């Protein structure tokens, strides 16, 4: 038998890229590749890129430039670019960086084996199509290796919302939902391999409408199907759009025990004027009323969100409205970004905010968010929470995992195994994690 070839994948950006990288590694496993954590050993290097913010393409080119020496030493080394930068730049990547052998967009990953074979014959391989066939069906079925207790599972991909700042509808394409039976069989397979928590992924996951045995199913209906899988203990989903937060999904947060009390629901801005320019099709008020309804169904739910500051034409008053909204929601987690122009998106054409002003706003928003995050986390002290243990902690004897609310929790000298789901009493709150004792 020939020696396995080594594959090094570097993943940037969102959780869907993490999921996609796993699928690509599995697909190339069929070509005799095993994964390595070290680029220097690799026979193939794949960069799975993200295009959502700031100079993404430039970062990829500079990263690629660093492989020059390695490729000179190892002429057989193949270098590939996948992900949203691959989709957006396409052939341009090979023109600008001749080291690159392979460019593959997110909808063509099932073509990787044949593309890899082409590069082995000395050719270049490019595929940025949006094909008709189901890439996930063609990617699956590799050795049933044991897995850690948590996993991602893509159920929906692409987006039809066209927020004025966002590249996703262009790089990931139109919104598509995977059929229910395929998701259920993938979930059962994960559980057989040791997974106890599944996070359902989609750029617009709550717009899910996959084909079921009797017509299309909503995300809530899919969650209820997953709820029946023995051994699956926790279900999460991300990312949601406020306008797709249906009644049945809100209700499931109150009634489905396996559905975790955590919801990532980006609002982007608290100003209606800016939300309109962002093409968000909801208002600050409608968002706040929605959260009221969600909290009525599940009072302890931890809310999380995304914000963009310095969107074109954002005034100080608009920004103040964002601060007001944050004060009102009290997020347990929130992610805030300075607006960055994405070529080809409508907002790129609008008058830009002074970058120093945008920096200042970002700092002010982050200070407020950090305060709330800390106070939500501190409020866990004295409470008993469930923790799914995922890995040893930094100190000897320590074990770490996540609470239902997604807080990192560690326990000293705990007699627990990876994959155990145990009740823990929280005794202390530090900057980024909680400390507890087994209850
Ligand atoms: N500039 C800054 N932030 C952006 N996001 C998306 N596009 C941009 C952009 N052009 C943020 C949004 C989104 C998150 C994933 O990234 O807040 O919810
Ligand atoms: Fe981008 Fe999300 Fe808006 Fe879709 S809903 S365009 S993915 S920000």
């Amino acid at each position: 038998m020939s020696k396995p070839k080594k594959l090094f994948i570097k993943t940037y950006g969102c959780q869907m890229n993490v999921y996609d990288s796993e699928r690509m590694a599995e697909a190339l496993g069929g070509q005799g590749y095993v994964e390595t954590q070290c680029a220097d050993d690799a026979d193939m290097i794949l960069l799975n890129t993200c295009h959502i913010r700031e100079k993404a393409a430039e970062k990829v080119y500079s990263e690629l430039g660093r492989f020059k020496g390695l490729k000179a030493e190892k002429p057989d080394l193949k270098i590939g670019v996948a992900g949203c930068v691959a989709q957006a730049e396409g052939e341009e990547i090979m023109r600008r960086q001749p080291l690159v052998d392979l460019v593959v967009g997110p909808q063509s990953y099932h073509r990787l084996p044949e593309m890899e074979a082409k590069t082995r014959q000395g050719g270049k391989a490019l595929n940025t199509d949006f094909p008709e066939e189901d890439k996930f069906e063609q990617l699956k079925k590799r050795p049933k290796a044991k897995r850690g207790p948590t996993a991602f599972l893509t159920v929906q991909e692409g987006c039809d919302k066209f927020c004025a700042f966002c590249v996703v509808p262009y790089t990931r394409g139109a919104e598509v939902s995977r059929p229910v039976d395929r998701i259920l069989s993938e979930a059962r397979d994960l559980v057989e391999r040791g997974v106890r928590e599944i996070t359902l992924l989609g750029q617009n996951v709550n717009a899910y409408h996959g084909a079921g045995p009797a017509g299309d199913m909503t995300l809530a209906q899919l969650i209820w199907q997953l709820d029946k899988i023995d051994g699956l203990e926790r279900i999460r989903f991300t990312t949601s759009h406020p306008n797709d937060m249906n009644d049945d999904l809100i209700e499931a947060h109150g009634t489905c025990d396996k559905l975790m009390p955590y919801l990532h629901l980006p609002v982007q801005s608290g100003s209606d004027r800016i939300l309109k320019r962002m093409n968000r099709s909801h208002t600050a008020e409608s968002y706040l009323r929605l959260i009221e309804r969600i909290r009525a169904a599940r009072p302890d739910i931890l809310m999380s969100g995304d914000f963009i500051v310095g969107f074109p034409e954002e005034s100080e008053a608009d920004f103040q409205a964002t601060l007001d909204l944050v004060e009102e929601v009290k997020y347990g987690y929130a992610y805030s970004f300075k607006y960055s122009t994405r070529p080809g998106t409508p907002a790129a054409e609008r008058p830009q905010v002074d970058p120093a002003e945008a920096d200042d706003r970002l700092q002010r928003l982050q200070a407020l968010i950090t305060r709330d995050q800390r106070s939500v986390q501190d409020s866990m002290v004295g409470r008993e929470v469930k923790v799914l243990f995922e890995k040893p902690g930094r100190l000897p004897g320590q074990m770490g995992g996540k609470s239902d609310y997604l807080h990192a929790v560690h326990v000293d000298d705990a007699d627990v195994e990876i994959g155990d789901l145990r009740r823990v009493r929280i005794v202390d709150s530090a900057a980024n994690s909680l400390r507890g004792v087994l209850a």
Side-chain angles (χ1 to χ4, degrees):
M1 221 173 83
S2 62
K3 195 160 121 262
K5 289 173 283 187
K6 291 196 178 153
L7 170 69
F8 173 75
I9 305 188
K10 183 160 175 178
T11 307
Y12 300 81
C14 66
Q15 293 155 325
M16 193 173 284
N17 270 7
V18 175
Y19 176 87
D20 286 344
S21 289
E22 288 172 5
R23 300 289 81 71
M24 287 193 272
E26 286 174 5
L28 288 170
Q31 306 292 107
Y33 281 90
V34 295
E35 265 192 280
T36 169
Q37 302 306 317
C38 171
D40 293 349
D41 294 347
D43 300 290
M44 176 168 227
I45 294 177
L46 262 184
L47 301 183
N48 189 6
T49 61
C50 169
H51 200 238
I52 196 107
R53 284 178 295 271
E54 291 183 282
K55 306 196 179 69
E58 291 314 310
K59 282 187 198 154
V60 172
Y61 287 114
S62 83
E63 181 82 29
L64 287 168
R66 273 186 241 150
F67 298 132
K68 220 176 213 149
L70 205 56
K71 182 110 174 181
E73 275 168 38
K74 285 174 97 172
D76 282 346
L77 171 66
K78 301 297 173 199
I79 296 181
V81 181
C84 290
V85 175
Q87 187 66 43
E89 296 274 295
E91 244 173 308
E92 175 65 14
I93 299 184
M94 288 177 179
R95 261 200 296 277
R96 265 186 71 176
Q97 184 43 279
L99 297 178
V100 173
D101 301 288
L102 181 156
V103 173
V104 60
Q107 300 312 329
S108 303
Y109 292 156
H110 54 299
R111 296 286 175 71
L112 261 177
E114 65 196 57
M115 293 174 74
E116 188 272 347
K118 191 169 168 199
T119 67
R120 290 286 155 210
Q121 287 152 14
K124 300 239 175 197
L126 170 86
N127 198 328
T128 52
D129 295 346
F130 287 96
E132 285 295 311
E133 70 264 22
D134 181 345
K135 76 172 167 189
F136 295 108
E137 263 316 275
Q138 311 206 12
L139 276 169
K140 71 177 195 190
K141 295 296 168 252
R142 296 296 162 205
K144 299 210 170 217
K146 183 110 176 88
R147 303 199 31 141
T150 64
F152 297 127
L153 200 175
T154 293
V155 303
Q156 177 280 337
E157 212 180 341
C159 181
D160 296 339
K161 295 278 192 289
F162 290 93
C163 297
F165 48 82
C166 186
V167 287
V168 166
Y170 311 96
T171 59
R172 289 272 169 175
E175 197 203 283
V176 177
S177 295
R178 295 177 67 195
V180 172
D181 57 347
R182 298 195 185 153
I183 295 167
L184 293 178
S185 80
E186 192 169 327
R188 283 190 208 101
D189 175 65
L190 288 168
V191 170
E192 276 168 28
R193 292 158 63 185
V195 169
R196 307 196 74 191
E197 169 179 314
I198 292 181
T199 302
L200 307 175
L201 298 181
Q203 269 90 27
N204 236 301
V205 72
N206 59 341
Y208 177 84
H209 55 94
D216 279 4
M217 279 194 178
T218 62
L219 183 66
Q221 288 168 328
L222 174 67
I223 288 169
W224 282 113
Q225 292 297 312
L226 290 160
D227 178 76
K228 293 188 205 155
I229 299 179
D230 282 337
L232 178 62
E233 304 293 344
R234 284 173 157 185
I235 303 167
R236 305 182 185 277
F237 60 87
T238 198
T239 287
S240 299
H241 192 286
N243 289 8
D244 293 315
M245 210 57 219
N246 303 331
D247 290 346
D248 62 348
L249 189 55
I250 296 175
E251 196 185 309
H253 273 288
T255 49
C256 178
D257 289 340
K258 291 186 182 179
L259 185 58
M260 291 293 99
Y262 179 102
L263 180 62
H264 185 62
L265 196 62
V267 64
Q268 313 296 357
S269 168
S271 154
D272 289 345
R273 203 177 74 94
I274 294 298
L275 286 170
K276 198 156 186 195
R277 284 171 163 71
M278 286 178 163
N279 192 31
R280 287 288 296 180
S281 62
H282 59 77
T283 62
E285 185 62 23
S286 68
Y287 178 82
L288 290 169
R289 296 294 77 82
L290 175 60
I291 292 187
E292 253 170 33
R293 285 170 52 218
I294 297 164
R295 283 184 167 150
R298 180 79 203 225
D300 63 340
I301 199 161
L302 187 147
M303 291 304 306
S304 140
D306 289 344
F307 293 89
I308 294 177
V309 303
F311 184 79
E313 299 165 90
E314 183 189 67
S315 67
E316 177 59 27
D318 293 319
F319 176 65
Q320 197 57 53
T322 298
L323 296 179
D324 293 345
L325 180 140
V326 171
E327 290 270 7
E328 187 154 346
V329 174
K330 207 161 192 264
Y331 289 93
Y333 285 104
Y335 307 88
S336 46
F337 312 101
K338 193 165 80 161
Y339 170 72
S340 88
T341 37
R342 304 287 77 200
T345 59
E349 312 296 323
R350 309 293 306 162
Q352 305 293 311
V353 169
D354 171 43
E357 183 60 41
D359 279 327
D360 180 65
R361 288 181 194 162
L362 185 63
Q363 276 186 19
R364 285 151 66 202
L365 177 59
Q366 288 185 339
L368 184 62
I369 287 171
T370 306
R371 186 200 70 185
D372 284 350
Q373 277 180 187
R374 188 64 204 256
S375 111
V376 171
Q377 193 190 286
D378 290 351
S379 73
M380 296 287 155
V381 175
R383 285 184 55 183
E384 229 180 78
V385 296
K386 274 208 197 126
V387 174
L388 178 61
F389 286 94
E390 289 171 32
K391 54 180 183 223
R394 262 171 311 179
L395 302 175
Q398 225 176 39
M399 284 286 276
K402 296 279 169 60
S403 76
D404 289 356
Y405 306 97
L406 214 54
H407 286 122
V409 179
H410 61 262
V411 174
D412 297 321
D413 303 319
D415 183 18
V416 292
E417 305 276 327
I418 289 173
D420 285 355
L421 186 63
R422 299 282 294 271
R423 298 200 74 85
V424 170
R425 192 163 51 79
I426 302 300
V427 294
D428 195 15
S429 169
N432 294 311
S433 68
L434 294 164
R435 193 164 60 83
V437 291
L438 292 182

